[in-house]
Structures are given as structure tokens and as C-alpha cells.
Amino acid sequence: MHEMSIAMAVVDQVAQAAPEGAGRVESVLLQVGELAGVVPDSLHFCFELACSGTVLEGAELITEPVAAHARCGACGTGWAVGMPPELTCPGCGSGAATELLTGRELQIRSVRWADRPAYADQEG
């Protein structure tokens, strides 16, 4: 189950990024793309196990789903890819020029520490 390795990586990254004198983590917001191949329920279960004995013990994992969208390089049509993914352009029928715009995300968007303001990445 790769959700455990993902959960452990999230815990490691948050623990390493802990500000000096930081207390415990209250919550972690994680973006999960529709095509990332992650089962959210399994990830939540694994996250709880991975947090045990760390500064994240008891922290809430909040997953923010990101829908998959693509654009056709040939005709410019954009569409929601869905699951299972439809990578053939609904406008011109081409699949060779499909550009996947969103849906593969798997990133920490913010961390809320007890008694500190939330930290969010600078990308927006």
C-alpha cells in the first residue's frame, strides 16, 4: 500500500520543516489529484499510524481533491478528464496532443501548528 509511504513522507517533511520551538501540529492540508492514484480513506488511516510518536501525533489530515483537466494542443479544447481518464479530445478526437493540466497533484498546501499561524506555501 503506497499510501503508507506517502503518509510517512508527509510526516517527515512536516517534522523537518518545524519552526524552532514549534509545538504539536494540529492539521495538515494535502492536495490530492484525481489521477494521483491515492485512496483518501487509506491515506487517512496510514497518516494516523505514521504520526504516532511524532510532533504530528493527533494531527488532522485534510485532503483537498483536485479534479483532472486537460487541453488539446491541436484545437485548444479543454475538458474534465474524469475517472477513468478520458484523454481523447472531445472537440477534434485527437489524443496525441493532449496536455494534462491538473489531476496529478500530491502536495502539502498548509500546516497548522498549535499556538502559531498556519504556514502555507507561497505558490498561491
Side-chain angles (χ1 to χ4, degrees):
M1 156 180 354
H2 77 279
E3 281 82 358
M4 180 55 89
S5 62
I6 293 168
M8 290 171 58
V10 169
V11 169
D12 287 346
Q13 288 179 21
V14 171
Q16 288 177 12
E20 178 126 357
R24 66 178 186 80
V25 174
E26 291 181 344
S27 65
V28 175
L29 174 62
L30 184 69
Q31 276 190 322
V32 180
E34 183 176 23
L35 303 177
V38 175
V39 178
D41 288 342
S42 296
L43 182 58
H44 282 269
F45 176 77
C46 292
F47 181 78
E48 187 176 328
L49 294 175
C51 289
S52 182
T54 73
V55 68
L56 286 92
E57 188 162 2
E60 176 186 16
L61 177 64
I62 303 164
T63 53
E64 179 181 82
V66 179
H69 286 89
R71 179 178 55 228
C72 179
C75 74
T77 298
W79 71 95
V81 173
M83 275 308 273
E86 178 53 60
L87 299 176
T88 302
C89 176
C92 70
S94 174
T98 297
E99 177 187 6
L100 193 58
L101 303 174
T102 61
R104 294 176 291 187
E105 294 80 0
L106 187 58
Q107 66 185 86
I108 300 168
R109 294 301 290 176
S110 67
V111 176
R112 182 168 303 282
W113 297 87
D115 302 323
R116 290 182 178 263
Y119 166 79
D121 70 6
Q122 299 302 312
E123 293 179 35

Short mmCIF file of all heavy atoms in Angstrom, two decimals, residues 52-90:
data_model
loop_
_atom_site.label_atom_id
_atom_site.label_comp_id
_atom_site.label_asym_id
_atom_site.label_seq_id
_atom_site.Cartn_x
_atom_site.Cartn_y
_atom_site.Cartn_z
N SER A 52 2.11 8.63 14.85
CA SER A 52 2.30 8.13 16.21
C SER A 52 3.74 8.36 16.68
O SER A 52 4.71 8.02 16.00
CB SER A 52 1.98 6.63 16.24
OG SER A 52 2.12 6.14 17.55
N GLY A 53 3.86 8.99 17.85
CA GLY A 53 5.17 9.23 18.45
C GLY A 53 5.93 10.40 17.86
O GLY A 53 7.10 10.59 18.15
N THR A 54 5.26 11.20 17.00
CA THR A 54 5.92 12.36 16.39
C THR A 54 5.21 13.63 16.83
O THR A 54 4.18 13.59 17.50
CB THR A 54 5.88 12.29 14.84
OG1 THR A 54 4.55 12.55 14.40
CG2 THR A 54 6.36 10.93 14.34
N VAL A 55 5.73 14.77 16.39
CA VAL A 55 5.12 16.06 16.68
C VAL A 55 3.75 16.19 15.99
O VAL A 55 2.97 17.06 16.32
CB VAL A 55 6.08 17.21 16.27
CG1 VAL A 55 6.25 17.26 14.76
CG2 VAL A 55 5.65 18.53 16.81
N LEU A 56 3.46 15.27 15.08
CA LEU A 56 2.17 15.27 14.39
C LEU A 56 1.13 14.37 15.04
O LEU A 56 0.00 14.28 14.55
CB LEU A 56 2.35 14.84 12.93
CG LEU A 56 2.99 15.87 12.01
CD1 LEU A 56 4.48 15.70 11.95
CD2 LEU A 56 2.38 15.79 10.65
N GLU A 57 1.48 13.71 16.11
CA GLU A 57 0.53 12.78 16.74
C GLU A 57 -0.76 13.52 17.09
O GLU A 57 -0.74 14.59 17.70
CB GLU A 57 1.13 12.16 18.01
CG GLU A 57 0.26 11.06 18.57
CD GLU A 57 1.00 10.15 19.54
OE1 GLU A 57 2.18 10.37 19.81
OE2 GLU A 57 0.35 9.20 20.00
N GLY A 58 -1.87 12.98 16.64
CA GLY A 58 -3.18 13.58 16.87
C GLY A 58 -3.57 14.62 15.83
O GLY A 58 -4.67 15.17 15.88
N ALA A 59 -2.70 14.91 14.87
CA ALA A 59 -3.00 15.91 13.84
C ALA A 59 -4.07 15.40 12.89
O ALA A 59 -4.17 14.21 12.62
CB ALA A 59 -1.74 16.26 13.06
N GLU A 60 -4.84 16.33 12.38
CA GLU A 60 -5.87 16.00 11.39
C GLU A 60 -5.29 16.13 9.99
O GLU A 60 -4.62 17.11 9.68
CB GLU A 60 -7.04 16.97 11.54
CG GLU A 60 -8.13 16.80 10.51
CD GLU A 60 -9.22 17.85 10.58
OE1 GLU A 60 -9.03 18.90 11.21
OE2 GLU A 60 -10.27 17.62 9.96
N LEU A 61 -5.54 15.15 9.15
CA LEU A 61 -5.17 15.24 7.74
C LEU A 61 -6.41 15.69 6.97
O LEU A 61 -7.45 15.03 7.02
CB LEU A 61 -4.68 13.90 7.21
CG LEU A 61 -4.35 13.88 5.72
CD1 LEU A 61 -3.18 14.82 5.40
CD2 LEU A 61 -4.04 12.47 5.26
N ILE A 62 -6.28 16.80 6.28
CA ILE A 62 -7.37 17.31 5.45
C ILE A 62 -6.93 17.14 4.01
O ILE A 62 -5.89 17.67 3.60
CB ILE A 62 -7.64 18.79 5.75
CG1 ILE A 62 -7.96 18.98 7.24
CG2 ILE A 62 -8.77 19.32 4.87
CD1 ILE A 62 -7.88 20.42 7.70
N THR A 63 -7.68 16.36 3.25
CA THR A 63 -7.34 16.17 1.85
C THR A 63 -8.25 17.04 0.99
O THR A 63 -9.46 17.09 1.20
CB THR A 63 -7.45 14.69 1.42
OG1 THR A 63 -8.74 14.19 1.75
CG2 THR A 63 -6.38 13.85 2.07
N GLU A 64 -7.62 17.75 0.07
CA GLU A 64 -8.33 18.63 -0.85
C GLU A 64 -8.23 18.00 -2.24
O GLU A 64 -7.16 17.97 -2.84
CB GLU A 64 -7.65 20.00 -0.84
CG GLU A 64 -8.25 21.01 -1.77
CD GLU A 64 -7.50 22.32 -1.68
OE1 GLU A 64 -6.44 22.46 -2.34
OE2 GLU A 64 -7.95 23.20 -0.93
N PRO A 65 -9.35 17.47 -2.75
CA PRO A 65 -9.29 16.84 -4.07
C PRO A 65 -9.09 17.86 -5.19
O PRO A 65 -9.59 18.98 -5.11
CB PRO A 65 -10.65 16.15 -4.20
CG PRO A 65 -11.55 16.83 -3.23
CD PRO A 65 -10.68 17.42 -2.16
N VAL A 66 -8.33 17.46 -6.19
CA VAL A 66 -8.10 18.31 -7.37
C VAL A 66 -8.57 17.52 -8.59
O VAL A 66 -8.04 16.45 -8.89
CB VAL A 66 -6.61 18.69 -7.51
CG1 VAL A 66 -6.40 19.54 -8.76
CG2 VAL A 66 -6.11 19.39 -6.27
N ALA A 67 -9.57 18.05 -9.26
CA ALA A 67 -10.11 17.39 -10.45
C ALA A 67 -9.09 17.43 -11.60
O ALA A 67 -8.29 18.36 -11.70
CB ALA A 67 -11.40 18.08 -10.89
N ALA A 68 -9.13 16.41 -12.42
CA ALA A 68 -8.23 16.34 -13.58
C ALA A 68 -8.83 17.09 -14.76
O ALA A 68 -9.98 16.90 -15.11
CB ALA A 68 -7.98 14.88 -13.94
N HIS A 69 -8.02 17.95 -15.34
CA HIS A 69 -8.41 18.71 -16.54
C HIS A 69 -7.30 18.62 -17.57
O HIS A 69 -6.12 18.57 -17.22
CB HIS A 69 -8.68 20.18 -16.20
CG HIS A 69 -9.95 20.39 -15.47
ND1 HIS A 69 -10.04 20.36 -14.10
CD2 HIS A 69 -11.21 20.62 -15.93
CE1 HIS A 69 -11.29 20.56 -13.74
NE2 HIS A 69 -12.02 20.72 -14.83
N ALA A 70 -7.69 18.60 -18.83
CA ALA A 70 -6.74 18.52 -19.93
C ALA A 70 -7.08 19.57 -20.99
O ALA A 70 -8.17 20.13 -20.99
CB ALA A 70 -6.76 17.13 -20.55
N ARG A 71 -6.10 19.79 -21.87
CA ARG A 71 -6.31 20.69 -23.00
C ARG A 71 -5.69 20.05 -24.23
O ARG A 71 -4.63 19.43 -24.17
CB ARG A 71 -5.65 22.04 -22.73
CG ARG A 71 -5.81 23.02 -23.89
CD ARG A 71 -5.21 24.39 -23.63
NE ARG A 71 -3.81 24.29 -23.28
CZ ARG A 71 -3.25 24.92 -22.24
NH1 ARG A 71 -3.97 25.69 -21.47
NH2 ARG A 71 -1.97 24.78 -21.99
N CYS A 72 -6.36 20.22 -25.34
CA CYS A 72 -5.87 19.68 -26.61
C CYS A 72 -4.92 20.69 -27.25
O CYS A 72 -5.29 21.84 -27.46
CB CYS A 72 -7.05 19.40 -27.56
SG CYS A 72 -6.53 18.76 -29.16
N GLY A 73 -3.70 20.24 -27.51
CA GLY A 73 -2.73 21.10 -28.17
C GLY A 73 -3.06 21.37 -29.62
O GLY A 73 -2.63 22.37 -30.19
N ALA A 74 -3.86 20.51 -30.22
CA ALA A 74 -4.20 20.66 -31.64
C ALA A 74 -5.31 21.70 -31.85
O ALA A 74 -5.20 22.56 -32.72
CB ALA A 74 -4.63 19.32 -32.22
N CYS A 75 -6.37 21.64 -31.04
CA CYS A 75 -7.51 22.54 -31.28
C CYS A 75 -7.80 23.49 -30.11
O CYS A 75 -8.64 24.38 -30.24
CB CYS A 75 -8.77 21.75 -31.62
SG CYS A 75 -9.52 20.89 -30.23
N GLY A 76 -7.14 23.29 -28.96
CA GLY A 76 -7.32 24.18 -27.82
C GLY A 76 -8.49 23.86 -26.92
O GLY A 76 -8.72 24.56 -25.93
N THR A 77 -9.25 22.82 -27.21
CA THR A 77 -10.38 22.44 -26.38
C THR A 77 -9.89 21.98 -25.01
O THR A 77 -8.91 21.26 -24.90
CB THR A 77 -11.18 21.29 -27.03
OG1 THR A 77 -11.69 21.73 -28.29
CG2 THR A 77 -12.33 20.81 -26.15
N GLY A 78 -10.60 22.42 -23.95
CA GLY A 78 -10.31 21.97 -22.60
C GLY A 78 -11.45 21.12 -22.08
O GLY A 78 -12.60 21.32 -22.48
N TRP A 79 -11.15 20.15 -21.21
CA TRP A 79 -12.20 19.28 -20.68
C TRP A 79 -11.78 18.66 -19.36
O TRP A 79 -10.61 18.57 -19.03
CB TRP A 79 -12.60 18.20 -21.68
CG TRP A 79 -11.57 17.11 -21.93
CD1 TRP A 79 -11.50 15.89 -21.33
CD2 TRP A 79 -10.46 17.17 -22.83
NE1 TRP A 79 -10.42 15.18 -21.81
CE2 TRP A 79 -9.77 15.95 -22.74
CE3 TRP A 79 -9.98 18.14 -23.72
CZ2 TRP A 79 -8.64 15.66 -23.49
CZ3 TRP A 79 -8.85 17.85 -24.46
CH2 TRP A 79 -8.20 16.62 -24.34
N ALA A 80 -12.81 18.25 -18.60
CA ALA A 80 -12.60 17.49 -17.36
C ALA A 80 -12.31 16.05 -17.76
O ALA A 80 -13.08 15.45 -18.52
CB ALA A 80 -13.83 17.57 -16.47
N VAL A 81 -11.21 15.53 -17.29
CA VAL A 81 -10.76 14.20 -17.70
C VAL A 81 -11.59 13.09 -17.09
O VAL A 81 -11.94 12.13 -17.77
CB VAL A 81 -9.26 14.03 -17.33
CG1 VAL A 81 -8.80 12.61 -17.57
CG2 VAL A 81 -8.42 15.01 -18.12
N GLY A 82 -11.94 13.24 -15.80
CA GLY A 82 -12.75 12.23 -15.13
C GLY A 82 -12.00 10.96 -14.79
O GLY A 82 -10.82 10.82 -15.03
N MET A 83 -12.74 10.02 -14.21
CA MET A 83 -12.20 8.70 -13.85
C MET A 83 -13.17 7.65 -14.34
O MET A 83 -14.34 7.71 -13.99
CB MET A 83 -12.03 8.57 -12.34
CG MET A 83 -10.74 9.13 -11.81
SD MET A 83 -9.27 8.52 -12.62
CE MET A 83 -8.92 7.04 -11.73
N PRO A 84 -12.74 6.69 -15.13
CA PRO A 84 -11.38 6.55 -15.67
C PRO A 84 -11.09 7.72 -16.61
O PRO A 84 -12.00 8.30 -17.21
CB PRO A 84 -11.40 5.23 -16.40
CG PRO A 84 -12.83 4.95 -16.70
CD PRO A 84 -13.63 5.65 -15.65
N PRO A 85 -9.80 8.06 -16.75
CA PRO A 85 -9.44 9.24 -17.53
C PRO A 85 -9.77 9.13 -19.01
O PRO A 85 -9.51 8.10 -19.64
CB PRO A 85 -7.93 9.37 -17.32
CG PRO A 85 -7.47 8.14 -16.64
CD PRO A 85 -8.65 7.38 -16.16
N GLU A 86 -10.37 10.19 -19.53
CA GLU A 86 -10.64 10.29 -20.96
C GLU A 86 -9.66 11.30 -21.53
O GLU A 86 -9.79 12.51 -21.30
CB GLU A 86 -12.08 10.76 -21.21
CG GLU A 86 -12.44 10.94 -22.66
CD GLU A 86 -12.15 9.70 -23.52
OE1 GLU A 86 -12.73 8.64 -23.23
OE2 GLU A 86 -11.34 9.81 -24.46
N LEU A 87 -8.65 10.81 -22.24
CA LEU A 87 -7.57 11.67 -22.73
C LEU A 87 -7.68 11.97 -24.21
O LEU A 87 -6.78 12.58 -24.79
CB LEU A 87 -6.22 11.04 -22.39
CG LEU A 87 -5.96 10.85 -20.89
CD1 LEU A 87 -4.65 10.12 -20.66
CD2 LEU A 87 -5.99 12.18 -20.16
N THR A 88 -8.79 11.59 -24.83
CA THR A 88 -9.03 11.92 -26.23
C THR A 88 -9.87 13.18 -26.27
O THR A 88 -10.89 13.30 -25.59
CB THR A 88 -9.78 10.77 -26.94
OG1 THR A 88 -9.01 9.58 -26.82
CG2 THR A 88 -10.03 11.08 -28.39
N CYS A 89 -9.44 14.13 -27.07
CA CYS A 89 -10.12 15.43 -27.16
C CYS A 89 -11.57 15.26 -27.61
O CYS A 89 -11.83 14.67 -28.66
CB CYS A 89 -9.37 16.33 -28.13
SG CYS A 89 -10.19 17.93 -28.39
N PRO A 90 -12.51 15.82 -26.84
CA PRO A 90 -13.91 15.76 -27.26
C PRO A 90 -14.21 16.70 -28.42
O PRO A 90 -15.24 16.57 -29.08
CB PRO A 90 -14.68 16.18 -26.00
CG PRO A 90 -13.71 16.99 -25.21
CD PRO A 90 -12.35 16.45 -25.53
#
